[in-house]
Amino acid sequence: MVHSAYDSFQLIPNSASRIDAIESCGSTLILSCSDGSLRIYGPESSAGEDRSPLSTVSEFYHHTLELKKEPYVLERTINGFSKKPMLAMEVIKSRELLLSLSESIAFHRLPNLETLAVITKAKGANAYSWDEKRGFLCFARQKRVCIFRHDGGRGFVEVKEFGVPDHVKSMSWCGENICLGIRREYVILNSTNGALSEVFPSGRTAPPLVVSLPSGELLLGKDNIGVFVDQNGKLLQEGRICWSEAPTSVVIEMPYAVGLLPRHIEIRSLRNPYPLIQTVVLRNARRLLQSTHAMIVALETSVYGFFPVPLGAQIVQLTASGNFEEALALCKLLPPEDSSLRATREQSIHIRYAHYLFENGNYEEAMEHFWASQVEITYVLSLYPSIILPKSSVVPEPEKYMDSSGDALDLSRGSSSLSDDMESSIHPHALDSDERVDLESRKMNHNTLMALIKFLQRKRFNIVEKAAAEGTDEAVSDAVGNSFVSYGYNRPKKPIKGRANAPINSVAREIAAILDTALLQALLLTGQPSAALELLKGLNYCSVKICEEFLQERNQHVCLLELYKCNAMHREALKLLHKLVEESNSNNPPAELSQKFKPEMIIEYLKPLCGTDPMLVLEFSMLVLESCPTQTIELFLSGNIPADLVNSYLKKHAPSMQATYLELMLAMNENSISGNLQNEMIQIYMSEVLDWYADLNSQGKWDEKIYSPTRKKLLSALDSISRYNPEIILKRLPPDALYEERAILLGKMNQHELALSIYVHKLNVPELALSYCDRVYESAVGQHAAKSHGNIYLTLLQIYLNPRKTTKNFEKRIANLISSQSFAIPKVGPGTGKTKGRLNKKIAEIEVAEETRFNTSGTDSGKSDGDTDDAIELGASTIMLDKVIDLLGQRWDRINGAQALKLLPRETKLKNLLPFLGPLLRKSGEAYRNFSVIKSLRESESLQVKDELYSHRKSVVRITGDSMCSLCNKKIGTSVFAIYPNGKTIVHFVCFKDSQNMKAVAKGSPLRKR
């Protein structure tokens, strides 16, 4: 016996005659005996009451609806009630009738039991079934099934009669159909048309047995097996009830099925797999009857009552015996008014069941019951001593959940032994030492931890959501200026993604920290680093201290980096990452490194920090600047770190990379680098070039045509960038070397003559001089000032034609220029702006003077050709006439021909000037012809306009006596009139003037208002 579901009590110890049939009505028992009498018994406690004759059903029920657990005494005997042995009786309470099946079916009015109706057609019937809802009666007689309907009065009306294949042994209504158990099979009879449908064969040894369930389904007996079918006879998949023997009758009393067997009464649960609950030995039991909240068992001469044990006591018994599933099922049957008690009991049972399953190795099922019990996660984690948890004010209290089981004893039968069994079953630490060690070892195996992971993940969503909501509330509180202290901790001012490093000030966040810390450890202990990494990447509350030590012990570097990152511990993360990069790049990397760490990982980590902590970015970017220069510069650019800040940091901590940084900055975006940074980059190049020049010069190997990589960079930078200060650079150049650099700088200072002289006479590269002129001219064309810079080619002609004159005092002029610049640009002082203004003014004067000198020498200035010849003769020995002719032939379209011809010496042959004069004259002639055509077109257009004017002036307007003014609507008459340009609108001249004045006033009115 698992537990006691019913208590048996002998209601009638000894009847005078054998009992054939029995029925109950409230607390009254009705017995039909073998002598044909009907005996009515009542509770012994009601036997002495002085009652008037029974007149109502309520009095017949003795003012109660249930059997009483006390001896019953005979109250009344009706002799000759039946002539033949009674087969069955049934009280129909809704209609106040007693149905009896003997030689026929009779109905008796309660409570006086006078005969109301007798169905004579039911003579010889051996089985019947009553449909309470519709008032239909069906009975079986031989091989016929008849259906009668109660008309609500004293009679019954026959509805249908059908034939069946064999004698009916058992029958029951199932909806509008009837299930029949005939000799060899079960069939469903359609009560409308009499159609039969087979269900399955009946048993071989036991007669058919049809039992109706409260849900409308049926339980059909097949020997010692009970099969569940629906109202249409289809098998259900809920399993089978296996009795120890074939029952003669079955009563359904939720949640149990009670079977009457030849030697005892069996009580089984209606939950699959329908286990045996209780066995009550009663020999020679003949009838089993369901009453209100009780069952009646009739023997030959005695009657027993089966009274259900209170649910609370059954739950206690089941829990103590380890039948937790049955106990939980019974908890759901507790009345709604005991919902709080029910929840407490269910929680206690779930916890006990979870402990039982956990100790027996069913870890996932155990966690399911821990989940159902809504127990705190700290309680479950207390089963895992090897998992380290952060200190918290939330302490697991096992007694908090275990003591609630004591409430179950309130509804029990006071059995102290049961409660002792329960208490002893829930303390695993009462085990022997060897068993305890074995249990502890099993708590950390893979299956145990996997079950814990699933439990924590199911719990996590609500816990983290609640903790995040508290963090949001605190952030809002901070925003409105509220601050408070809770649980003895200070709140963080700025919530971050990982809260574990912030002071925890709420129970919700304490629980979240415990959960995430335990979950991380469990994931890694079960070999799931990827899942642990995903946990850290999201919102989490992992304890930094515990998780850091745990991850370091297991060399989980990637997870440790993410832990630092989510808790804003960027310096620690970068230090670790740098260490891992160095170890990965070493010749003998450590074996515990699970992957190769690259310098690019540091750059990727630094990207989000550019806007929040640029100094930290600069500090750790120095570690990878040399190995990944391009990516590092891109980091500075994408992070919008000020270039001046980066440059100053590099100058102090990594001077060797300063030029590289500036080069890449310039290559990516010239506008992103200021003039100061351009100056600094060129100064770096200049210093390297000067050192290189000094070294070669000391060895006597210097040559202007030698170019080192740095010198190439310097020349490119001087020529391509525009916002540096050329005067400062020019001062550093040696006087007798680096002429190309000097020429570029002089060109930046608009000292074109000096620059061209260097190209022609110092470097002896006329091609560079021509390229220089082209650049100046084209830049002027882009600025629509080509005419003002067209003299650049004439300047080059002057240098070719007067080499001695242009080279004379060249060094002196350069020195004077440098000295003037040195004077104009002091190192420090507030007057720098004024000095610079004077310098610019002086440079402008020098340029104007030089240009004037060249223009007066090459244009009509009153000098004769002989004067020009004298000037050229000064350097006739070194005149570069071939270069002059080539220049004129190549750039004829950019040079003023008249001025160029005046500069040429008299001995120049005309045929040599054909490449210059030919295209020049052709262009001039073409331009003359084009302008002539344009002039003719303009004159023709003018004539057309005049002709159109004359045609408009010839228009005629006739004024008659009916002509009206379009403004005042009066006749024109002989008044002065005006005509609008359309030639049709005529107005008085006075009206026209008035309208014009009104328009002027309307336009000027806003001014007057203002």
Side-chain angles (χ1 to χ4, degrees):
M1 179 180 68
V2 177
H3 76 283
S4 296
Y6 290 90
D7 284 337
S8 61
F9 184 83
Q10 190 176 32
L11 302 177
I12 301 175
N14 191 11
S15 174
S17 301
R18 188 185 67 206
I19 302 173
D20 289 335
I22 188 170
E23 180 60 295
S24 67
C25 187
S27 62
T28 302
L29 289 177
I30 304 173
L31 275 66
S32 176
C33 298
S34 58
D35 58 359
S37 62
L38 188 71
R39 300 173 185 268
I40 301 174
Y41 286 80
E44 187 178 28
S45 58
S46 304
E49 295 179 2
D50 184 14
R51 297 192 305 273
S52 58
L54 298 174
S55 60
T56 64
V57 176
S58 61
E59 292 177 350
F60 188 73
Y61 292 166
H62 287 169
H63 306 281
T64 181
L65 298 178
E66 297 182 3
L67 289 177
K68 290 186 177 182
K69 192 177 180 180
E70 58 181 81
Y72 273 63
V73 295
L74 181 63
E75 293 184 348
R76 180 183 174 192
T77 301
I78 302 176
N79 293 317
F81 187 79
S82 63
K83 296 180 181 179
K84 291 186 177 182
M86 188 74 66
L87 299 179
M89 289 190 300
E90 182 177 350
V91 171
I92 305 174
K93 297 178 183 179
S94 61
R95 302 173 188 268
E96 300 181 0
L97 298 175
L98 173 66
L99 183 153
S100 64
L101 173 58
S102 181
E103 59 181 347
S104 63
I105 297 177
F107 289 87
H108 311 274
R109 175 74 65 185
L110 294 176
N112 295 323
L113 298 175
E114 68 271 15
T115 302
L116 179 67
V118 177
I119 301 178
T120 57
K121 199 171 184 177
K123 187 175 181 180
N126 62 320
Y128 78 92
S129 179
W130 170 258
D131 187 349
E132 180 72 19
K133 293 182 180 179
R134 299 184 298 164
F136 276 48
L137 171 71
C138 68
F139 58 87
R141 178 174 59 84
Q142 295 179 354
K143 295 183 180 182
R144 308 291 295 176
V145 174
C146 301
I147 302 175
F148 280 75
R149 175 175 54 82
H150 185 220
D151 61 1
R154 298 176 59 87
F156 283 80
V157 179
E158 183 177 359
V159 179
K160 295 283 184 179
E161 181 178 355
F162 303 106
V164 293
D166 208 336
H167 292 280
V168 177
K169 301 296 183 181
S170 180
M171 63 192 311
S172 175
W173 284 99
C174 51
E176 295 184 358
N177 299 328
I178 306 172
C179 182
L180 304 177
I182 58 181
R183 182 172 298 177
R184 295 182 179 180
E185 61 181 343
Y186 291 100
V187 295
I188 299 294
L189 173 66
N190 189 313
S191 62
T192 303
N193 55 24
L196 292 174
S197 57
E198 297 182 359
V199 181
F200 57 79
S202 60
R204 296 181 179 180
T205 59
L209 177 63
V210 181
V211 181
S212 178
L213 299 178
S215 60
E217 298 164 349
L218 299 172
L219 177 65
L220 305 182
K222 188 171 184 179
D223 293 335
N224 66 324
I225 298 176
V227 181
F228 293 96
V229 298
D230 62 9
Q231 293 183 355
N232 297 318
K234 293 183 179 180
L235 295 176
L236 301 177
Q237 300 300 322
E238 280 80 5
R240 308 285 184 267
I241 297 181
C242 295
W243 308 93
S244 59
E245 297 181 65
T248 57
S249 63
V250 175
V251 170
I252 304 298
E253 178 76 20
M254 298 300 293
Y256 302 115
V258 182
L260 176 61
L261 278 64
R263 292 176 292 182
H264 58 272
I265 307 293
E266 269 189 14
I267 303 170
R268 291 184 174 271
S269 172
L270 283 175
R271 292 180 64 257
N272 199 3
Y274 311 101
L276 176 65
I277 300 300
Q278 184 181 359
T279 300
V280 181
V281 178
L282 285 176
R283 295 186 180 277
N284 300 322
R286 304 185 63 189
R287 294 285 187 271
L288 176 62
L289 174 69
Q290 184 176 8
S291 182
T292 305
H293 297 158
M295 287 183 296
I296 303 170
V297 179
L299 282 67
E300 287 191 357
T301 58
S302 60
V303 177
Y304 283 81
F306 278 39
F307 298 91
V309 175
L311 287 177
Q314 293 188 54
I315 292 170
V316 172
Q317 295 177 46
L318 289 169
T319 306
S321 60
N323 288 284
F324 302 103
E325 295 286 351
E326 291 292 333
L328 290 171
L330 290 183
C331 284
K332 299 186 183 302
L333 299 177
L334 288 171
E337 56 269 17
D338 294 337
S339 58
S340 59
L341 179 61
R342 166 183 165 181
T344 304
R345 287 181 180 169
E346 285 184 340
Q347 183 186 45
S348 175
I349 295 170
H350 278 300
I351 293 174
R352 295 170 185 272
Y353 196 13
H355 276 286
Y356 172 80
L357 293 170
F358 192 89
E359 292 166 9
N360 287 276
N362 299 320
Y363 305 115
E364 290 196 12
E365 294 182 29
M367 292 303 160
E368 290 291 333
H369 288 280
F370 277 130
W371 164 265
S373 70
Q374 296 298 316
V375 70
E376 295 288 348
I377 61 170
T378 50
Y379 181 87
V380 178
L381 290 172
S382 64
L383 300 174
Y384 296 83
S386 299
I387 290 183
I388 304 171
L389 302 178
K391 293 182 179 179
S392 171
S393 60
V394 183
V395 180
E397 301 177 6
E399 294 79 8
K400 171 183 175 182
Y401 304 102
M402 298 305 182
D403 290 346
S404 61
S405 62
D407 297 335
L409 300 176
D410 296 340
L411 296 178
S412 68
R413 295 169 297 168
S415 176
S416 60
S417 60
L418 292 176
S419 61
D420 294 340
D421 293 340
M422 288 175 59
E423 293 299 326
S424 62
S425 67
I426 62 174
H427 294 291
H429 42 74
L431 301 172
D432 296 337
S433 59
D434 294 340
E435 294 177 348
R436 192 181 306 114
V437 171
D438 179 63
L439 180 61
E440 294 298 331
S441 64
R442 284 188 287 125
K443 286 180 180 179
M444 292 305 293
N445 65 27
H446 185 273
N447 294 336
T448 314
L449 292 172
M450 287 300 296
L452 177 65
I453 289 171
K454 292 180 181 179
F455 171 77
L456 294 177
Q457 287 174 339
R458 290 181 66 181
K459 282 278 190 180
R460 188 173 187 274
F461 178 79
N462 291 331
I463 292 176
V464 172
E465 186 180 49
K466 188 175 181 181
E470 289 188 358
T472 303
D473 294 342
E474 290 182 4
V476 173
S477 178
D478 285 342
V480 298
N482 295 330
S483 60
F484 58 89
V485 178
S486 174
Y487 295 93
Y489 295 94
N490 295 323
R491 284 184 295 110
K493 292 185 178 180
K494 292 183 179 180
I496 55 178
K497 184 173 72 170
R499 302 291 187 89
N501 67 331
I504 297 175
N505 63 344
S506 71
V507 175
R509 273 180 278 179
E510 285 185 5
I511 294 294
I514 292 172
L515 187 149
D516 283 346
T517 304
L519 181 58
L520 179 68
Q521 296 177 61
L523 288 171
L524 292 174
L525 289 172
T526 54
Q528 303 182 67
S530 58
L533 187 62
E534 289 299 320
L535 171 66
L536 291 171
K537 285 182 178 179
L539 174 64
N540 69 87
Y541 294 83
C542 293
S543 171
V544 175
K545 182 178 179 182
I546 295 174
C547 294
E548 180 182 23
E549 294 177 357
F550 183 83
L551 294 172
Q552 286 175 349
E553 291 176 0
R554 286 158 179 79
N555 296 315
Q556 293 291 339
H557 305 297
V558 178
C559 293
L560 183 57
L561 286 172
E562 194 62 39
L563 176 69
Y564 287 145
K565 183 178 180 180
C566 71
N567 289 281
M569 300 171 65
H570 303 301
R571 183 173 295 277
E572 290 79 1
L574 289 167
K575 286 181 179 179
L576 174 61
L577 188 55
H578 177 57
K579 177 185 175 184
L580 294 172
V581 170
E582 288 185 339
E583 291 178 350
S584 297
N585 295 331
S586 63
N587 295 328
N588 296 316
E592 61 269 12
L593 283 182
S594 58
Q595 68 179 77
K596 185 174 178 62
F597 292 86
K598 300 179 181 180
E600 289 80 359
M601 293 182 176
I602 297 179
I603 296 175
E604 290 298 323
Y605 190 98
L606 291 173
K607 284 182 179 179
L609 304 179
C610 293
T612 57
D613 197 347
M615 295 307 297
L616 184 67
V617 174
L618 290 174
E619 178 183 348
F620 283 92
S621 63
M622 298 300 104
L623 305 176
V624 293
L625 182 59
E626 187 172 355
S627 58
C628 304
T630 305
Q631 294 94 323
T632 308
I633 303 306
E634 289 177 354
L635 169 68
F636 296 148
L637 289 176
S638 62
N640 295 323
I641 301 178
D644 292 329
L645 177 62
V646 177
N647 181 66
S648 61
Y649 197 90
L650 289 173
K651 190 174 183 179
K652 181 178 180 181
H653 296 90
S656 61
M657 299 302 299
Q658 187 181 5
T660 306
Y661 165 70
L662 294 174
E663 287 172 6
L664 292 173
M665 283 281 292
L666 188 66
M668 293 177 181
N669 186 4
E670 182 179 351
N671 296 326
S672 65
I673 182 168
S674 64
N676 292 333
L677 294 181
Q678 292 180 5
N679 279 329
E680 190 149 1
M681 184 179 71
I682 293 176
Q683 291 285 10
I684 294 171
Y685 290 156
M686 181 62 70
S687 298
E688 294 184 14
V689 170
L690 290 176
D691 293 341
W692 171 70
Y693 160 74
D695 184 48
L696 290 181
N697 193 34
S698 63
Q699 300 176 15
K701 298 180 180 180
W702 171 250
D703 186 355
E704 280 291 334
K705 296 182 180 180
I706 300 176
Y707 295 93
S708 68
T710 306
R711 189 184 182 193
K712 291 179 181 179
K713 292 181 181 179
L714 176 61
L715 289 171
S716 176
L718 291 174
D719 187 48
S720 60
I721 62 179
S722 58
R723 287 193 288 173
Y724 65 90
N725 192 333
E727 293 88 349
I728 298 176
I729 310 299
L730 188 62
K731 292 189 300 180
R732 299 188 61 187
L733 291 176
D736 56 349
L738 301 176
Y739 290 113
E740 190 172 351
E741 289 82 350
R742 189 186 302 274
I744 295 175
L745 291 172
L746 290 171
K748 294 291 184 181
M749 298 168 63
N750 292 324
Q751 299 295 322
H752 304 305
E753 182 185 2
L754 295 176
L756 290 172
S757 297
I758 291 175
Y759 284 126
V760 175
H761 299 304
K762 295 294 183 181
L763 296 174
N764 298 319
V765 186
E767 294 80 6
L768 292 179
L770 182 59
S771 299
Y772 179 87
C773 293
D774 291 340
R775 288 197 302 271
V776 174
Y777 181 86
E778 290 167 1
S779 64
V781 170
Q783 300 174 2
H784 305 286
K787 291 184 178 180
S788 62
H789 286 79
N791 290 330
I792 188 67
Y793 293 102
L794 296 177
T795 302
L796 182 57
L797 284 177
Q798 290 277 5
I799 294 172
Y800 285 151
L801 294 172
N802 298 286
R804 181 175 296 181
K805 184 177 180 180
T806 55
T807 56
K808 187 178 180 181
N809 299 326
F810 173 77
E811 288 79 4
K812 185 177 180 180
R813 291 173 62 188
I814 294 292
N816 292 337
L817 181 63
I818 294 176
S819 62
S820 65
Q821 297 299 334
S822 301
F823 177 77
I825 305 175
K827 294 182 179 179
V828 291
T832 304
K834 296 181 179 179
T835 307
K836 187 175 181 180
R838 291 196 299 270
L839 169 64
N840 293 336
K841 184 177 181 182
K842 191 169 185 180
I843 292 173
E845 292 175 354
I846 294 172
E847 290 179 351
V848 171
E850 293 293 334
E851 184 177 353
T852 304
R853 184 169 61 82
F854 292 141
N855 288 339
T856 55
S857 65
T859 58
D860 295 337
S861 58
K863 290 186 179 182
S864 62
D865 293 341
D867 297 334
T868 304
D869 295 341
D870 294 340
I872 295 176
E873 285 174 357
L874 292 173
S877 58
T878 58
I879 189 170
M880 304 172 71
L881 188 58
D882 293 340
K883 298 295 182 183
V884 171
I885 293 174
D886 290 342
L887 175 62
L888 292 174
Q890 294 175 6
R891 299 293 183 268
W892 59 267
D893 55 334
R894 299 184 180 184
I895 299 176
N896 190 313
Q899 294 182 8
L901 289 174
K902 289 182 180 181
L903 291 175
L904 293 175
R906 295 180 61 182
E907 62 271 15
T908 305
K909 295 181 180 181
L910 188 60
K911 66 176 182 179
N912 295 333
L913 296 178
L914 284 178
F916 167 64
L917 293 175
L920 181 61
L921 292 176
R922 283 194 296 271
K923 182 179 180 182
S924 299
E926 185 180 353
Y928 177 79
R929 289 191 298 274
N930 291 338
F931 285 126
S932 298
V933 172
I934 292 172
K935 179 182 178 181
S936 300
L937 292 174
R938 295 285 172 83
E939 289 177 353
S940 175
E941 185 180 4
S942 176
L943 290 174
Q944 291 177 1
V945 171
K946 287 181 181 180
D947 182 65
E948 187 178 356
L949 175 63
Y950 293 153
S951 65
H952 281 293
R953 286 180 176 178
K954 289 180 182 180
S955 61
V956 176
V957 178
R958 177 176 293 181
I959 305 296
T960 63
D962 297 331
S963 299
M964 306 290 291
C965 176
S966 298
L967 294 177
C968 65
N969 294 323
K970 295 180 180 180
K971 292 184 178 181
I972 298 294
T974 58
S975 301
V976 179
F977 61 88
I979 303 174
Y980 279 89
N982 59 9
K984 297 180 181 180
T985 305
I986 306 172
V987 296
H988 290 107
F989 185 72
V990 175
C991 295
F992 173 74
K993 289 184 64 177
D994 291 343
S995 65
Q996 296 297 316
N997 292 334
M998 290 176 64
K999 290 181 179 179
V1001 170
K1003 291 180 180 179
S1005 59
L1007 296 175
R1008 289 197 297 272
K1009 287 181 182 179
R1010 240 181 287 163

